[in-house]
Amino acid sequence: MAFAPKEDLQGRLVDSSLAGFQVAMDVSCHSFVRIAKLAEPLMSEGGTLFTMTYLGATRAIQNYNLMGPVKAALEAVTRYLALELGPQIRVHAISPGPLKTRAASGLADFDQLMAKAAARAPAGQLATIDDVGRYVAFLASDAGRMLTGDTLFVDGGYHIAD
Protein backbone atom coordinates (compact mmCIF):
# COMPACT_ATOMS: atom_id res chain seq x y z
CA MET A 1 0.00 0.00 0.00
CA ALA A 2 1.37 3.39 -0.95
CA PHE A 3 -0.04 6.84 -1.46
CA ALA A 4 1.01 10.44 -1.86
CA PRO A 5 -1.07 13.41 -2.97
CA LYS A 6 -0.65 13.77 -6.74
CA GLU A 7 0.84 17.27 -6.57
CA ASP A 8 3.49 16.08 -4.11
CA LEU A 9 4.12 12.81 -5.96
CA GLN A 10 4.61 14.42 -9.35
CA GLY A 11 6.47 17.50 -8.16
CA ARG A 12 10.07 17.86 -7.05
CA LEU A 13 10.97 16.54 -3.60
CA VAL A 14 12.10 19.98 -2.44
CA ASP A 15 8.69 21.36 -3.40
CA SER A 16 6.70 18.71 -1.52
CA SER A 17 4.41 20.00 1.17
CA LEU A 18 4.75 18.96 4.79
CA ALA A 19 1.18 17.66 4.72
CA GLY A 20 1.85 15.64 1.56
CA PHE A 21 5.06 14.22 2.98
CA GLN A 22 3.29 13.26 6.21
CA VAL A 23 0.43 11.57 4.35
CA ALA A 24 2.87 9.64 2.16
CA MET A 25 4.87 8.53 5.22
CA ASP A 26 1.76 7.55 7.17
CA VAL A 27 0.06 5.57 4.42
CA SER A 28 3.17 4.13 2.76
CA CYS A 29 5.33 3.40 5.81
CA HIS A 30 3.80 3.77 9.26
CA SER A 31 0.74 1.76 8.25
CA PHE A 32 3.04 -1.29 8.05
CA VAL A 33 4.08 -0.71 11.68
CA ARG A 34 0.41 -0.55 12.70
CA ILE A 35 -0.37 -3.72 10.74
CA ALA A 36 2.53 -5.53 12.45
CA LYS A 37 1.26 -4.47 15.87
CA LEU A 38 -2.23 -5.77 15.12
CA ALA A 39 -0.95 -8.98 13.48
CA GLU A 40 1.54 -9.94 16.19
CA PRO A 41 -1.01 -11.40 18.66
CA LEU A 42 -2.65 -13.31 15.80
CA MET A 43 0.67 -14.91 14.81
CA SER A 44 1.46 -16.63 18.10
CA GLU A 45 2.55 -19.73 16.22
CA GLY A 46 4.58 -17.82 13.64
CA GLY A 47 3.98 -16.02 10.42
CA THR A 48 5.35 -13.71 7.78
CA LEU A 49 4.68 -10.05 7.05
CA PHE A 50 5.31 -8.51 3.63
CA THR A 51 5.52 -5.00 2.30
CA MET A 52 6.24 -3.68 -1.17
CA THR A 53 9.08 -1.30 -1.93
CA TYR A 54 11.02 -0.14 -4.98
CA LEU A 55 14.59 0.46 -6.08
CA GLY A 56 14.00 4.18 -5.66
CA ALA A 57 14.52 3.62 -1.91
CA THR A 58 18.25 3.12 -2.43
CA ARG A 59 18.91 4.83 -5.78
CA ALA A 60 17.76 8.16 -7.09
CA ILE A 61 15.25 7.27 -9.83
CA GLN A 62 14.03 10.01 -12.16
CA ASN A 63 10.42 11.04 -11.35
CA TYR A 64 10.19 8.85 -8.22
CA ASN A 65 10.62 12.02 -6.14
CA LEU A 66 8.81 11.97 -2.77
CA MET A 67 8.37 8.19 -2.74
CA GLY A 68 12.13 7.51 -2.63
CA PRO A 69 12.65 8.74 0.93
CA VAL A 70 9.34 7.22 2.02
CA LYS A 71 10.30 3.78 0.66
CA ALA A 72 13.75 4.12 2.26
CA ALA A 73 12.00 4.57 5.60
CA LEU A 74 9.80 1.55 4.86
CA GLU A 75 12.87 -0.61 4.24
CA ALA A 76 14.36 0.52 7.58
CA VAL A 77 11.04 -0.30 9.28
CA THR A 78 11.26 -3.79 7.75
CA ARG A 79 14.67 -4.39 9.35
CA TYR A 80 13.57 -3.14 12.76
CA LEU A 81 10.34 -5.14 12.72
CA ALA A 82 12.30 -8.28 11.80
CA LEU A 83 14.61 -7.63 14.75
CA GLU A 84 11.74 -7.02 17.17
CA LEU A 85 9.38 -9.77 15.99
CA GLY A 86 11.84 -12.57 15.20
CA PRO A 87 12.17 -15.48 15.55
CA GLN A 88 8.38 -15.90 15.64
CA ILE A 89 7.49 -13.58 12.75
CA ARG A 90 9.54 -13.00 9.62
CA VAL A 91 9.36 -9.65 7.85
CA HIS A 92 10.17 -8.96 4.21
CA ALA A 93 10.26 -5.96 1.89
CA ILE A 94 9.67 -7.12 -1.68
CA SER A 95 11.08 -4.94 -4.44
CA PRO A 96 9.79 -5.79 -7.88
CA GLY A 97 10.92 -3.80 -10.84
CA PRO A 98 8.32 -1.50 -12.35
CA LEU A 99 4.88 -3.16 -12.41
CA LYS A 100 1.73 -1.76 -13.93
CA THR A 101 -0.29 -1.00 -10.82
CA ARG A 102 -2.73 1.71 -9.86
CA ALA A 103 -0.10 3.28 -7.60
CA ALA A 104 2.52 3.34 -10.34
CA SER A 105 0.13 4.96 -12.80
CA GLY A 106 0.51 8.22 -10.87
CA LEU A 107 4.23 8.49 -11.64
CA ALA A 108 5.23 10.77 -14.50
CA ASP A 109 6.60 8.97 -17.61
CA PHE A 110 5.95 5.55 -16.07
CA ASP A 111 5.67 3.74 -19.42
CA GLN A 112 9.13 5.03 -20.39
CA LEU A 113 10.51 3.82 -17.05
CA MET A 114 9.08 0.35 -17.68
CA ALA A 115 10.59 0.13 -21.17
CA LYS A 116 13.99 1.29 -19.93
CA ALA A 117 13.92 -1.19 -17.01
CA ALA A 118 12.99 -4.12 -19.26
CA ALA A 119 15.84 -3.27 -21.64
CA ARG A 120 18.30 -2.97 -18.75
CA ALA A 121 17.34 -6.11 -16.82
CA PRO A 122 19.72 -9.04 -17.40
CA ALA A 123 16.68 -11.32 -17.76
CA GLY A 124 15.56 -9.15 -20.69
CA GLN A 125 12.11 -8.66 -19.22
CA LEU A 126 10.33 -7.38 -16.17
CA ALA A 127 8.79 -9.55 -13.49
CA THR A 128 5.03 -9.96 -13.58
CA ILE A 129 2.60 -9.78 -10.69
CA ASP A 130 2.49 -13.60 -10.86
CA ASP A 131 6.28 -13.78 -10.49
CA VAL A 132 6.06 -11.63 -7.37
CA GLY A 133 3.27 -13.85 -6.01
CA ARG A 134 5.33 -17.01 -6.50
CA TYR A 135 8.29 -15.46 -4.67
CA VAL A 136 6.10 -14.31 -1.79
CA ALA A 137 4.62 -17.83 -1.53
CA PHE A 138 8.15 -19.24 -1.31
CA LEU A 139 9.10 -16.78 1.44
CA ALA A 140 5.95 -17.57 3.43
CA SER A 141 6.66 -21.31 3.23
CA ASP A 142 9.08 -23.32 5.35
CA ALA A 143 11.55 -23.07 2.45
CA GLY A 144 12.03 -19.40 3.37
CA ARG A 145 12.24 -19.94 7.13
CA MET A 146 15.76 -18.53 7.50
CA LEU A 147 15.12 -15.31 5.60
CA THR A 148 13.95 -12.15 7.34
CA GLY A 149 14.58 -8.43 7.49
CA ASP A 150 15.88 -7.94 3.97
CA THR A 151 14.74 -6.15 0.88
CA LEU A 152 14.36 -8.89 -1.71
CA PHE A 153 14.34 -8.08 -5.41
CA VAL A 154 12.04 -9.74 -7.94
CA ASP A 155 13.05 -7.77 -11.00
CA GLY A 156 14.95 -9.93 -13.48
CA GLY A 157 18.21 -8.43 -12.19
CA TYR A 158 17.16 -4.85 -12.98
CA HIS A 159 18.57 -3.67 -9.64
CA ILE A 160 22.13 -4.79 -10.45
CA ALA A 161 22.44 -3.21 -13.90
CA ASP A 162 23.31 0.35 -14.89
Side-chain angles (χ1 to χ4, degrees):
M1 177 171 19
F3 175 80
K6 188 173 185 176
E7 58 277 3
D8 292 301
L9 178 65
Q10 291 185 347
R12 297 182 328 149
L13 176 61
V14 297
D15 296 327
S16 64
S17 68
L18 174 59
F21 194 93
Q22 288 172 328
V23 166
M25 191 63 80
D26 183 49
V27 173
S28 307
C29 182
H30 192 258
S31 63
F32 191 49
V33 175
R34 294 191 306 271
I35 287 168
K37 182 178 179 73
L38 294 170
E40 184 179 21
L42 303 173
M43 297 178 148
S44 60
E45 296 186 27
T48 310
L49 297 172
F50 296 96
T51 190
M52 300 299 285
T53 187
Y54 180 64
L55 184 61
T58 58
R59 291 189 186 174
I61 304 289
Q62 191 72 33
N63 297 321
Y64 201 54
N65 309 340
L66 173 66
M67 291 310 296
V70 171
K71 291 295 188 176
L74 179 62
E75 290 183 14
V77 161
T78 298
R79 291 187 295 274
Y80 280 89
L81 288 175
L83 182 65
E84 292 178 4
L85 300 176
Q88 179 181 325
I89 300 172
R90 298 177 309 223
V91 185
H92 301 288
I94 306 300
S95 183
L99 290 172
K100 279 199 181 254
T101 64
R102 183 162 168 70
S105 67
L107 298 174
D109 301 320
F110 184 70
D111 288 336
Q112 293 167 337
L113 174 69
M114 287 190 61
K116 181 179 174 184
R120 196 172 95 190
Q125 61 185 352
L126 296 175
T128 66
I129 291 172
D130 289 339
D131 293 325
V132 174
R134 284 188 284 274
Y135 194 54
V136 167
F138 159 76
L139 291 169
S141 75
D142 284 342
R145 71 181 188 86
M146 292 306 295
L147 300 171
T148 192
D150 284 316
T151 298
L152 303 159
F153 295 90
V154 186
D155 64 2
Y158 165 65
H159 71 282
I160 66 163
D162 272 335

